[in-house]
Amino acid sequence: VTFFPAMLSLPAGSSATFFCNISMENDSQLEYSLNWYRETNHSQGQKIAGITHSDLQWKTEKYVVTNHTGVFKMEILNLHQCDSGSYYCGLITFKPNNVIESSRSHLVVTAAPENTNPTDEPEMEEGNPPDHIKPVLLSILLLAGLVVLLIFGYIVVIHRRGGMIPWGSHAVLRGQEKPTTVPVPIVDYGVLEFQVDQHAHVPQETWLVSHTEYATIIFPEEKPTTPER
């Protein structure tokens, strides 16, 4: 009776597989049963499974034994670290009665590896930003609200004080209309001559001395032509 492999080291969550081989060359008709044992810290072996030569399979949630006609496959499912220990099989024959034990095989169960596969990470719900982006968005919204409040407050203060409000290239007081543009008249001076009416019946010697008067003419838009004297 042989039991192999002699050593197994597997992570938690996986499965361990051993084989127990029975040589039946001398008497293939021999009736027997096969037990599977486990011992820890050199304690007395504890039976964990048993199968007869006519059974094809023995199964529980934790252990599975399959008969392949002289070779028994023994599996431990969903390993935990407490499954570490020594395992072996024992052959029990009838007529004659005999018990034959195999050599021990050692099982070491290590801690489960950390899941570093990015594809196994929980998917982010559609439409929801990542947690590290939410504070940034909140800060932007708060800053925008603060700017709006400052602008609104500035307008209110200016309105109450009646301050200067930009108007084109000039600054006018609030409440005052935009100053109207007063056209500047164009002033020109012309020379007009006025003479005393000539009286036909008055002798030339009695005429008053002729004199010249000046008048100022204001043209609002265009510069007039100065008449000849």
Side-chain angles (χ1 to χ4, degrees):
V1 180
T2 58
F3 194 76
F4 58 93
M7 181 69 184
L8 279 180
S9 179
L10 298 169
S14 60
S15 300
T17 301
F18 294 98
F19 294 93
C20 184
N21 188 14
I22 300 175
S23 177
M24 305 295 294
E25 295 179 356
N26 297 332
D27 191 354
S28 59
Q29 301 299 322
L30 181 64
E31 294 182 1
Y32 62 90
S33 64
L34 186 70
N35 292 339
W36 188 11
Y37 300 95
R38 174 193 174 208
E39 62 181 23
T40 57
N41 298 327
H42 304 286
S43 62
Q44 183 179 359
Q46 175 186 3
K47 179 181 176 181
I48 58 177
I51 189 171
T52 66
H53 68 285
S54 59
D55 295 333
L56 296 179
Q57 191 178 65
W58 180 93
K59 183 177 182 181
T60 65
E61 294 182 357
K62 183 69 175 178
Y63 305 100
V64 179
V65 180
T66 305
N67 185 356
H68 292 285
T69 312
V71 179
F72 294 84
K73 180 181 179 181
M74 299 179 173
E75 299 175 90
I76 307 175
L77 307 178
N78 191 20
L79 289 173
H80 294 84
Q81 288 186 297
C82 60
D83 292 324
S84 298
S86 298
Y87 293 85
Y88 63 98
C89 61
L91 177 64
I92 303 173
T93 61
F94 307 99
K95 298 179 182 180
N97 295 334
N98 196 7
V99 178
I100 304 173
E101 293 182 355
S102 68
S103 59
R104 271 60 172 169
S105 295
H106 300 283
L107 172 64
V108 177
V109 181
T110 60
E114 296 182 0
N115 188 3
T116 57
N117 189 351
T119 59
D120 295 336
E121 295 179 356
E123 295 182 358
M124 181 180 61
E125 295 182 3
E126 185 177 356
N128 293 334
D131 293 338
H132 66 278
I133 295 181
K134 292 181 180 179
V136 177
L137 295 178
L138 182 59
S139 301
I140 294 175
L141 292 177
L142 291 176
L143 183 60
L146 181 60
V147 172
V148 172
L149 290 176
L150 290 175
I151 295 175
F152 179 76
Y154 174 77
I155 295 175
V156 171
V157 171
I158 294 299
H159 178 75
R160 290 181 177 178
R161 293 184 178 179
M164 303 296 292
I165 299 178
W167 186 284
S169 60
H170 303 281
V172 298
L173 292 175
R174 179 177 295 276
Q176 294 184 357
E177 296 181 355
K178 182 180 178 181
T180 56
T181 303
V182 179
V184 179
I186 300 173
V187 180
D188 194 6
Y189 297 92
V191 179
L192 300 178
E193 293 181 358
F194 298 89
Q195 296 180 354
V196 179
D197 295 338
Q198 296 180 2
H199 302 279
H201 302 287
V202 179
Q204 186 175 4
E205 294 80 7
T206 62
W207 289 358
L208 297 176
V209 179
S210 299
H211 63 276
T212 302
E213 294 184 1
Y214 296 89
T216 301
I217 301 176
I218 298 175
F219 297 89
E221 294 183 358
E222 297 181 357
K223 183 176 181 182
T225 305
T226 304
E228 295 180 359
R229 300 183 60 179

